[in-house]
Amino acid sequence: MARPRNFDEEKVLEAAGDAFWANGYEGTSTRDLVKHTGLTQPSLYNAFGDKRALFRRALEHYLDRTLRERITRLEAKHSPGEAIAAFFGEIIERSVEDTRQRGCMLVNSALEATPDDAEFRDAIAEELSLLKGFFQRCVEAGQQSGQLPPIQPPDAAAKLLLAVLLGVRVLARVNPERALLTGAVAPALAMLGLPELPPGTGIP
């Protein structure tokens, strides 16, 4: 019979995720994970497997609380075009407020993916596809309702928005200035006939 765990799994995943998010997969040592989670190496790996398995679980935990939560909430709360604008507005705000300049754990992971790790690359690609799907659904629904002009096919618009998002996330790691991030997003929204960024997101 398995011994019951004497730790909070969610808190451990959050702590491990913080370490990976700040330092990257390769830059996070076992010692870092032990320090952040408060568990010994045997306890960590007995509970979650090896370092890669723990990273995958921590990334899943991060995505559930950030990307997936944001998409679900914005699609339920806003019209299609406003959902996209609000999405980018939240990304800019989070980037400006992140004094540690960590960027996005998913995008950081994509930059670390190597050609010899197909399973990991496929997992990252699946999550990026989720993002593209969100953009595409919103553009398609907006065009069908007449809220958005048919400037670009939904698939092409979604690819452009995904590329802008990835670029903004990378910029935020080295220079998270509001003017820079807003300047990268606003023209793309205007180009596709999307609503402007929410009030307060723009340059003061």
Side-chain angles (χ1 to χ4, degrees):
M1 182 175 178
R3 180 183 301 176
R5 295 178 180 177
N6 57 355
F7 60 84
D8 187 320
E9 181 174 301
E10 184 169 327
K11 289 183 178 179
V12 169
L13 288 174
E14 191 163 336
D18 282 343
F20 285 125
W21 192 2
N23 304 315
Y25 175 75
E26 293 295 339
T28 301
S29 66
T30 301
R31 181 178 297 178
D32 292 328
L33 294 171
V34 168
K35 178 181 177 180
H36 276 74
T37 63
L39 298 180
T40 64
Q41 178 181 338
S43 294
L44 271 177
Y45 290 173
N46 285 338
F48 300 102
D50 58 12
K51 177 183 171 183
R52 173 48 57 88
L54 176 57
F55 175 77
R56 290 287 300 274
R57 289 287 304 279
L59 180 60
E60 283 288 316
H61 181 68
Y62 166 86
L63 293 171
D64 282 339
R65 295 182 299 115
T66 56
L67 173 63
R68 295 166 184 161
E69 182 279 332
R70 183 176 296 118
I71 287 175
T72 300
R73 171 170 48 82
L74 294 179
E75 283 193 292
K77 183 178 179 181
H78 296 287
S79 66
E82 290 170 345
I84 293 176
F87 182 94
F88 278 102
E90 289 190 12
I91 294 299
I92 291 172
E93 290 303 321
R94 286 179 61 88
S95 299
V96 171
E97 293 170 2
D98 183 9
T99 57
R100 296 167 66 188
Q101 298 182 209
R102 294 171 296 176
C104 169
M105 188 175 173
L106 174 63
V107 176
N108 297 349
S109 301
L111 295 174
E112 280 198 278
T114 58
D116 60 342
D117 194 342
E119 181 183 355
F120 183 57
R121 285 188 293 109
D122 288 346
I124 298 299
E126 183 177 344
E127 296 302 328
L128 294 179
S129 179
L130 176 69
L131 271 168
K132 176 179 174 292
F134 161 65
F135 292 138
Q136 186 167 337
R137 286 193 306 275
C138 289
V139 172
E140 187 170 12
Q143 290 181 355
Q144 288 177 351
S145 68
Q147 181 199 18
L148 301 179
I151 296 174
Q152 290 285 342
D155 179 69
K159 290 174 181 174
L160 172 60
L161 291 168
L162 178 60
V164 171
L165 174 63
L166 297 180
V168 164
R169 282 305 212 174
V170 173
L171 280 173
R173 291 213 67 186
V174 295
N175 190 8
E177 293 184 0
R178 185 183 299 276
L180 176 64
L181 303 182
T182 300
V185 172
L189 299 183
M191 186 188 308
L192 297 173
L194 289 160
E196 296 180 354
L197 289 165
T201 310
I203 304 171

